[in-house]
Amino acid sequence: MLGKLPLIRNFGLKQIALLLFMLLIILPTLGVGIIVQYKFAEILQKNVVQSTLQSVDSVANQLEEQISMVEDIADYLVYNPHLNAYLQIDAKEYSERVDSLEQSVEGLLIFHLFSKPYIRSITIDGMNGRYFAMGEPVAGDESKWRTEALKQRGKIVWSEGYQVASGWSGSIDVVSLFRILNLYKDVTTPLGTLTIHLDAQSIISLLETTLLQQQGYVYVLNQRGESVLQSNNALESNLQASTMLERFVASGERLGSYEQDGTKYYTFYRQVENTNWHIVTAIPHTVVDQQLSGLRWMMIAIIAAILLLCIIAYAGFQYMIISPILRLKNETTRVTLGDFTARVPVQHRNEISDLNRKFNEMVDTIRALIDQKYKMEIRQRDAELKLLQSQMDPHFLYNTLDTIRWTARLEKADRSSHLIEMLSKFLRSSLNNGQYETTLIKELEFVQSYLYLHQVRLGDRLNYSLYIEYPLENIVIPKTMIQPLVENFLIHGYNRKKSNNTIAVKVYAVGEDYIWIDVRDNGKGIPPEQLQQLQVTLQNGNQSDQSFGAINNIAERLTIFFGVEAKIEIASIEDEATQVLIKIPYIVGGEQNE
C-alpha cells in the first residue's frame, strides 16, 4: 500500500523503516498513552470527587448525630417529671422532696456532660426562680436567641457561632441550643429556659477532615446564608459561601464549581437533616491537580520507557537488517562500476548472511569469467580491428583525394577543390599514420578542417576562431583531444535559433608550469542537474559513466598521458554559454619533431 504512493517510492530503506516505526509503533504508543492518561486522570478525578462527597456525608452524619443527641437531651428534659416538678416549686420552699428532685436533675445533667465531651455546659433558668448551671461557667449576650425561643414556644432554636466568657478558659466559641421548657401536661405553660452550650471548636474539628483541613474550606450556613460555623482557614479565604449555597439550592445538585479572583474551586453541598443548617465545602482545583500530578509523571515515565524500548528496537532493526542490506547494495554498486574487489562480511548464520555469502561467490564467479572469457574476446576483437586497418592503404586514399581535388581545379571548381583539400587534411589528421600522439598545432589544424567543413554546410550561422601561442605549437598531446569537444558543441550545443553560433579555442601557457586549452561557445549550455553530475563524475574520476562518453574518454587519456596533474573543468550557463578548460603540465622538451 505504502509503495503505491509517489513520495514513498523515492524513500530508502532507512526512511521506510523509520516511517513504519513512526506510523505503527511510536505514534500509536503516544496516542494510546495519552488516551490512557486522560481516561485514568478522569477516573481518578471522579474518585477524588466521590471520596470528598463521602467525606462530607460522613462529617454531616456525625454532626447530625451530635445535634440529634443534644435535641434528644432537650426533649428528655421537657418530659422529665422530676424537672417539671422542680420547676413548679417556689424557689423559697425547701424540703427533702425538693432536695431529692434537685439531686435527680443534677445527676441527669452531670451524666450528659460527662458522656458528651462536646457539651460545654447546660443551664436551666426556671420561671419560678430556680436555676441550674452545670459544666463550664459561661457568660455572654444571648438575648436575641432567648427572645426567639420565647417566640417559638417550645421549639428548638439553634444559634450561630459566637464568643462567650468562660470562667475556666477565658474567651471561647460556642454554638448553643435554646428551648422553652413547658409543662408537659399543659404545653402552653412555660416553666423555664434550657440552654445547652456546645464547643464550636469541637464541631469544627469534626468538619475538618485531613484533606479539608489542609487545603479546603468548610462552611456551615443557616437557611438565610449566614455563617453558623466555618473552618479555621476559611476565615482568610473571603469566599462568598452564601453565593455557593444559593447556587446549590437553585440547581438541586450536590457538586458544583465556583470561581473567585481567578481561582477555580470544586464545591460540595449537604444539608444537615432536622436542622436549617447547610454544609458547603470548597476545594481548589489545584489540590486535585496535585493529586493527579503523580499519575501524570508516572504515565509520562511509562510512555518514555516504551518509546526508549521502541528506539532500541529500531536501532537493533537498523543494525541487524537495514545496515547489512545497504552495505550489500553499496558493494553491488561497486561491482556495477567494474570493481570486482567488492566484498561483504559474513558475520552471522541468518538469511542476510547467506545472501552476503552468495553475493561474494557471485562476484568471484563473474571475475573469473571476465578474466577467462571476456578478456579473450577483447583480444580477439582487437586483432580483427588491426587486421581490417592493415588492409586499408591510407596512401591510396590520400592519392585518390588529391586526384579528385586537381581534377576540380582543372575544371575551375575552386570551391569544390578546397572542400576536397580540407576533407583530405581531416582524414590525414584523423589517421595520422596509426600514431596515437600529435602536437597542439596539428590538433588545431585538425579542428580547423573539421570546423571549415561544417561552416560550409551551416554558412554564416557558424563562426569560429583558433589561437595558440607560438612556443606551444610543438607540445605533444594525445591525438583527438580537442576535436571531440568541438564535435559536442555542434551536436549538442549548436542553437538553431541563433544566427551567430560561435566557438573559440585558445591555447596558452599559465606561468611556467601549466598549459591551458580553453574551449568556449555561446550555444545551448548544459542543464544545471546534468552539469553537476558531469562535474562530480570528473572530480571523482569515474570514467566508467557512459552518460558523458567523450568527456570521460578525454579525461581518461589525459590521466594516462600526463598523470594526475592533468585536469578538466567545465562551467556552463544554460541557454547562454559553455566553457571547457583543459589543464596539462608544461613539460619542457615535450615536443614532437617534424
Side-chain angles (χ1 to χ4, degrees):
M1 181 63 72
L2 290 176
K4 296 181 179 179
L5 299 176
L7 182 62
I8 303 300
R9 294 176 182 175
N10 299 324
F11 280 10
L13 282 178
K14 288 186 177 180
Q15 290 82 0
I16 293 176
L18 181 60
L19 180 62
L20 290 176
F21 264 84
M22 289 291 292
L23 294 179
L24 302 180
I25 298 178
I26 296 179
L27 291 181
T29 300
L30 287 175
V32 171
I34 292 173
I35 292 174
V36 169
Q37 180 179 358
Y38 174 77
K39 291 296 183 183
F40 201 76
E42 185 178 15
I43 293 172
L44 184 58
Q45 182 178 1
K46 290 181 179 179
N47 290 340
V48 171
V49 171
Q50 190 64 32
S51 175
T52 305
L53 281 174
Q54 292 175 357
S55 297
V56 173
D57 290 339
S58 176
V59 170
N61 290 334
Q62 294 182 54
L63 182 59
E64 289 171 357
E65 183 179 356
Q66 290 185 0
I67 292 174
S68 177
M69 287 182 179
V70 174
E71 291 181 348
D72 288 343
I73 293 173
D75 291 339
Y76 182 77
L77 291 176
V78 169
Y79 296 102
N80 185 274
H82 295 165
L83 180 60
N84 264 254
Y86 184 75
L87 293 178
Q88 296 179 52
I89 300 174
D90 186 82
K92 297 179 181 181
E93 181 180 344
Y94 178 78
S95 63
E96 292 182 0
R97 179 173 177 268
V98 172
D99 187 54
S100 176
L101 291 174
E102 184 176 354
Q103 290 180 3
S104 175
V105 173
E106 287 179 352
L108 176 64
L109 297 181
I110 291 172
F111 169 76
H112 287 298
L113 281 172
F114 281 98
S115 63
K116 299 172 179 59
Y118 50 86
I119 299 178
R120 285 276 188 172
S121 66
I122 302 175
T123 61
I124 300 175
D125 188 5
M127 300 294 184
N128 60 352
R130 300 282 182 180
Y131 182 79
F132 281 103
M134 304 301 295
E136 190 172 352
V138 295
D141 183 10
E142 300 173 339
S143 57
K144 66 174 182 178
W145 296 295
R146 291 180 179 275
T147 302
E148 182 66 24
L150 286 173
K151 293 180 181 179
Q152 295 298 326
R153 297 182 178 182
K155 292 183 179 181
I156 293 175
V157 175
W158 283 98
S159 73
E160 297 83 26
Y162 64 100
Q163 285 189 343
V164 295
S166 169
W168 296 349
S169 308
S171 179
I172 61 173
D173 293 326
V174 296
V175 174
S176 301
L177 177 147
F178 298 90
R179 185 173 188 176
I180 298 299
L181 298 176
N182 296 319
L183 181 64
Y184 67 86
K185 293 181 179 181
D186 183 8
V187 294
T188 61
T189 303
L191 297 178
T193 303
L194 170 65
T195 305
I196 303 177
H197 298 97
L198 305 183
D199 183 14
Q201 188 59 44
S202 176
I203 299 177
I204 291 174
S205 299
L206 175 65
L207 297 175
E208 293 178 339
T209 62
T210 301
L211 173 62
L212 303 181
Q213 184 179 14
Q214 295 178 355
Q215 299 164 323
Y217 311 101
V218 184
Y219 303 88
V220 179
L221 309 175
N222 60 21
Q223 60 185 2
R224 296 185 298 275
E226 298 171 344
S227 176
V228 177
L229 291 170
Q230 57 187 2
S231 58
N232 293 324
N233 60 352
L235 298 174
E236 302 175 356
S237 66
N238 296 324
L239 292 178
Q240 300 297 323
S242 58
T243 303
M244 291 186 276
L245 177 60
E246 291 176 0
R247 293 183 180 178
F248 280 123
V249 172
S251 64
E253 300 290 338
R254 294 191 57 204
L255 173 65
S257 60
Y258 182 74
E259 183 174 356
Q260 181 173 315
D261 299 330
T263 303
K264 295 182 179 180
Y265 300 87
Y266 292 105
T267 54
F268 306 89
Y269 168 74
R270 167 70 185 271
Q271 183 178 2
V272 181
E273 295 182 0
N274 302 322
T275 68
N276 60 355
W277 289 0
H278 305 269
I279 298 177
V280 175
T281 303
I283 302 178
H285 279 203
T286 54
V287 174
V288 179
D289 292 340
Q290 287 175 1
Q291 296 186 11
L292 298 179
S293 62
L295 168 67
R296 292 193 182 98
W297 283 112
M298 181 182 68
M299 293 300 299
I300 290 173
I302 293 174
I303 293 174
I306 294 175
L307 291 179
L308 179 61
L309 292 177
C310 292
I311 293 173
I312 294 174
Y314 175 73
F317 184 76
Q318 286 278 356
Y319 176 76
M320 296 298 297
I321 298 178
I322 301 299
S323 295
I325 292 177
L326 293 178
R327 188 187 301 118
L328 179 61
K329 179 251 185 185
N330 293 334
E331 296 304 314
T332 304
T333 303
R334 289 179 58 189
V335 173
T336 303
L337 298 177
D339 184 3
F340 293 99
T341 62
R343 290 292 183 276
V344 288
V346 180
Q347 300 174 341
H348 306 283
R349 296 182 178 179
N350 53 30
E351 288 78 1
I352 293 180
S353 294
D354 291 340
L355 185 62
N356 292 342
R357 189 180 299 105
K358 296 296 182 181
F359 172 81
N360 293 337
E361 294 175 356
M362 180 190 70
V363 173
D364 291 338
T365 302
I366 293 175
R367 187 174 183 178
L369 289 174
I370 290 176
D371 290 341
Q372 297 177 5
K373 297 182 179 181
Y374 187 67
K375 288 184 178 180
M376 293 179 60
E377 184 178 356
I378 291 176
R379 294 191 188 98
Q380 183 178 356
R381 290 186 178 181
D382 287 340
E384 292 174 356
L385 179 60
K386 290 180 180 179
L387 178 62
L388 290 174
Q389 290 177 346
S390 64
Q391 293 175 354
M392 181 182 296
D393 187 0
H395 294 287
F396 171 78
L397 180 62
Y398 301 152
N399 293 335
T400 303
L401 289 174
D402 285 340
T403 301
I404 296 174
R405 178 169 65 86
W406 285 107
T407 302
R409 283 193 175 185
L410 290 175
E411 294 175 352
K412 298 182 178 182
D414 294 336
R415 185 173 178 81
S416 299
S417 174
H418 188 59
L419 285 173
I420 294 171
E421 181 181 0
M422 296 305 294
L423 176 61
S424 176
K425 286 184 178 181
F426 176 79
L427 293 175
R428 191 184 300 272
S429 297
S430 63
L431 294 176
N432 198 22
N433 296 325
Q435 296 183 6
Y436 297 97
E437 299 176 357
T438 186
T439 62
L440 282 171
I441 187 63
K442 289 183 179 180
E443 182 71 9
L444 288 182
E445 290 174 355
F446 179 43
V447 171
Q448 182 185 17
S449 60
Y450 179 80
L451 287 172
Y452 177 81
L453 293 173
H454 279 281
Q455 190 180 44
V456 171
R457 178 174 61 87
L458 299 174
D460 294 335
R461 288 180 297 173
L462 174 64
N463 298 303
Y464 65 89
S465 63
L466 306 174
Y467 168 80
I468 183 173
E469 292 181 353
Y470 177 77
L472 308 178
E473 290 182 350
N474 293 322
I475 295 296
V476 179
I477 61 171
K479 189 176 66 174
T480 62
M481 190 175 68
I482 303 176
Q483 185 270 338
L485 302 177
V486 176
E487 183 177 356
N488 269 351
F489 161 68
L490 292 172
I491 295 175
H492 305 291
Y494 182 83
N495 193 342
R496 299 182 182 276
K497 297 180 180 179
K498 287 186 178 181
S499 59
N500 59 339
N501 287 271
T502 303
I503 185 170
V505 180
K506 294 182 181 180
V507 181
Y508 53 93
V510 178
E512 298 179 356
D513 298 323
Y514 289 94
I515 298 173
W516 286 13
I517 302 173
D518 190 351
V519 181
R520 302 188 184 189
D521 65 72
N522 64 345
K524 296 179 180 179
I526 304 174
E529 297 83 4
Q530 187 177 1
L531 176 63
Q532 182 179 5
Q533 183 180 359
L534 177 57
Q535 290 172 340
V536 171
T537 300
L538 292 175
Q539 184 178 0
N540 296 336
N542 184 12
Q543 283 86 24
S544 61
D545 191 339
Q546 301 300 318
S547 303
F548 311 101
I551 297 294
N552 287 335
N553 180 268
I554 294 173
E556 183 179 8
R557 290 191 294 125
L558 283 174
T559 302
I560 295 173
F561 195 86
F562 293 106
V564 295
E565 293 184 28
K567 301 289 182 182
I568 298 181
E569 297 179 0
I570 299 178
S572 180
I573 301 176
E574 192 173 8
D575 297 327
E576 291 188 19
T578 300
Q579 178 187 19
V580 180
L581 189 62
I582 301 176
K583 300 179 181 180
I584 60 175
Y586 193 167
I587 301 175
V588 179
E591 299 181 353
Q592 188 180 56
N593 296 325
E594 293 292 323

